[in-house]
Amino acid sequence: MHTTPIYCRGGGAAKLTLAIMLLASAGLAGCGGGGSGGSVYTPSPTPAPSPSPSPSPTPAPVAEPAIEPMTTVNMATGSGYFSDPAVVRLAPSQGNSKLIFSGTTKATMRCDFPLAPRCFSWTALTIDAGALAAQITAVGSRITNYQNIHAFQADDGSWHAVVAIGVNNSTTTNYWTVLVHASPVGATSADTMPLAWRADTVLSGSFSTRVDGNYDGKFYQEGGQLYLLYVKNFVPEPALRNGIVIQEMISPTQVAPSAPVTLLQTGLTSDTLTSENYANTPAKLVEAPFIARIEGKYALFYATGAYREADYKVGVAWSDTLLPAAGGRYRKVVQADPTNIWGSGANEVRYLLQSHRSAWPNYTANTVFSPGVPSVAQSPSSAWTLFFAAYQPDDRAFLFPGVADPSHRRPYYVGLDVAIPAGQSVATATDAQLATWVQARMR
């Protein structure tokens, strides 16, 4: 039996044969619940044992963040589920009262401020490979899935998207992902996100040669400079290490010749930051990056752990500058673990949301399991809100013990309390001070 662990939502080494098999049996084309549009190859499902899952925690009577659902879910039709909700950057002309989300390749969501539970509409969308389909076939590869789509609106109102396309070939059955640019199909309006997309240009990765990582790609703009934010593989399986990088762009379809800059990595050994361990495997990863500038500081929101198990979590790391100094990284929020909750006996990450340890801050398992894929937005009244995906406790639809069906991930939001002292820098703040800068609002 094939017992290779399932590593993550993303591509490359993080997408192994068992993941494809399990998701094919669940009726999905890929780990992220993609597979809309285009020619999609799905291997025949093969029975396989579950990897040793991280234990599902027992809900405990502790104070929890004031989490609310974004959509109304129709369990019969599947509408309302949304696995990778990310706020779409809109042109300044659109104002700041409108919220549009992309992420899953099945749909987009929209609601305008002020927010209310289940206020978001859910509208189906499509993606196809366009002219890239012929390129993929020409090098002997085939499309396995469309992993995720992240839309972006330029200052002139034009629309662009970054799509992760999964491919494999006859010599590499485990699929890997390639980041590509996609354009809208047909006429567009500056006021509405397009619902049909066609891929056209490779941004990172290769259709012919396996290159791990290359998923969760998003455009980020700082002033007039455009960047591509994405996940890169640093160490191959089985001791996989995926981190977050940012690449300067000349245009939405042209990558600058400079190398990507590393923003965030995991603990490099198995005994450092054990809360980042991917279930019961030697792997570690940080993924699903989203950058926001909050009161002059750069906040990098991210996820870590196994997205279908209880150990998936939402973290935030900080920097005084968008690009850290050479060799530098964004700073994670950590705190002491004197009672050895995580088993390392050392400092551990203080997460914004986590359902893994009831004795650790910001426990959510009474409300949601496996919170991850974070993004944030600021309302017209200057209030910040965190958006993310998670499982409703009574709707996890386990594929195997401890391993939930990713098609059942739902979108949620929670208010953030922001308190960044004027004049304080990331470099000089203590760990305790950094932990108070952004916190999920409690019930």
Side-chain angles (χ1 to χ4, degrees):
M1 285 289 191
H2 183 37
T3 58
T4 306
I6 306 168
Y7 279 123
C8 72
R9 300 167 38 261
K15 291 295 182 40
L16 305 180
T17 300
L18 179 56
I20 300 174
M21 293 173 177
L22 292 175
L23 292 164
S25 69
L28 299 175
C31 286
S36 60
S39 174
V40 179
Y41 166 77
T42 304
S44 300
T46 301
S50 169
S52 299
S54 56
S56 294
T58 300
V62 297
E64 292 199 4
I67 293 168
E68 299 289 355
M70 293 172 64
T71 61
T72 296
V73 170
N74 185 321
M75 296 173 65
T77 65
S79 67
Y81 290 113
F82 208 96
S83 58
D84 293 342
V87 176
V88 174
R89 188 268 190 189
L90 300 177
S93 61
Q94 296 298 304
N96 60 353
S97 63
K98 182 190 307 182
L99 276 175
I100 297 176
F101 283 76
S102 60
T104 175
T105 55
K106 290 183 176 180
T108 180
M109 298 186 296
R110 176 174 173 175
C111 181
D112 295 345
F113 285 111
L115 299 180
R118 300 181 179 86
C119 73
F120 283 82
S121 62
W122 187 96
T123 307
L125 58 77
T126 62
I127 303 170
D128 69 69
L132 295 183
Q135 294 183 30
I136 294 168
T137 301
V139 297
S141 295
R142 56 188 175 185
I143 297 172
T144 59
N145 67 299
Y146 294 92
Q147 183 61 36
N148 43 41
I149 177 171
H150 292 292
F152 172 90
Q153 189 178 37
D155 288 351
D156 64 3
S158 62
W159 290 94
H160 306 268
V162 183
V163 177
I165 298 181
V167 297
N168 70 359
N169 55 34
S170 60
T171 61
T172 308
T173 55
N174 297 339
Y175 74 86
W176 67 94
T177 44
V178 180
L179 289 175
V180 305
H181 175 272
S183 299
V185 177
T188 63
S189 164
D191 297 328
T192 306
M193 177 179 153
L195 298 179
W197 295 85
R198 180 164 295 145
D200 51 41
T201 309
V202 173
L203 299 177
S204 183
S206 168
F207 290 131
S208 61
T209 304
R210 177 176 181 140
V211 179
D212 294 334
N214 296 313
Y215 66 99
D216 283 345
K218 303 177 181 75
F219 287 128
Y220 177 81
Q221 184 168 313
E222 173 83 346
Q225 178 61 56
L226 185 67
Y227 297 89
L228 175 64
L229 185 67
Y230 67 101
V231 174
K232 175 182 171 66
N233 175 251
F234 289 88
V235 180
E237 58 184 70
L240 176 138
R241 296 291 184 271
N242 279 356
I244 295 167
V245 300
I246 193 168
Q247 171 68 56
E248 185 177 341
M249 302 292 292
I250 296 173
S251 72
T253 59
Q254 187 175 2
V255 178
S258 56
V261 175
T262 302
L263 302 184
L264 196 68
Q265 290 180 280
T266 64
L268 296 180
T269 62
S270 61
D271 59 350
T272 58
L273 298 182
T274 59
S275 66
E276 293 180 340
N277 290 352
Y278 188 98
N280 295 326
T281 76
K284 293 176 182 283
L285 57 83
V286 287
E287 62 179 15
F290 188 93
I291 291 178
R293 194 169 186 184
I294 303 179
E295 297 188 16
K297 306 297 188 291
Y298 292 88
L300 172 57
F301 297 86
Y302 66 94
T304 188
Y307 82 110
R308 302 190 305 172
E309 302 190 31
D311 63 359
Y312 209 44
K313 316 171 190 72
V314 171
V316 61
W318 294 91
S319 177
D320 289 314
T321 56
L322 174 62
L323 305 180
R329 301 290 184 266
Y330 276 57
R331 181 180 170 187
K332 297 173 186 176
V333 181
V334 299
Q335 70 176 52
D337 183 14
T339 58
N340 207 28
I341 292 169
W342 294 101
S344 67
N347 285 354
E348 280 292 345
V349 177
R350 181 186 174 102
Y351 296 97
L352 281 176
L353 301 172
Q354 59 88 21
S355 63
H356 203 184
R357 295 286 189 269
S358 62
W360 200 248
N362 303 321
Y363 183 71
T364 68
N366 293 298
T367 306
V368 299
F369 274 90
S370 312
V373 195
S375 62
V376 299
Q378 189 177 29
S379 73
S381 64
S382 299
W384 286 93
T385 302
L386 172 69
F387 304 90
F388 62 97
Y391 294 102
Q392 183 173 294
D394 62 356
D395 182 29
R396 284 189 283 170
F398 289 108
L399 300 175
F400 295 94
V403 180
D405 183 343
S407 70
H408 285 236
R409 289 181 67 80
R410 301 179 181 220
Y412 294 90
Y413 70 91
V414 63
L416 293 176
D417 291 324
V418 176
I420 302 177
Q424 191 172 76
S425 70
V426 175
T428 60
T430 65
D431 289 331
Q433 289 171 332
L434 206 62
T436 66
W437 282 14
V438 168
Q439 300 183 81
R441 193 165 300 141
M442 306 301 286
R443 292 195 186 279

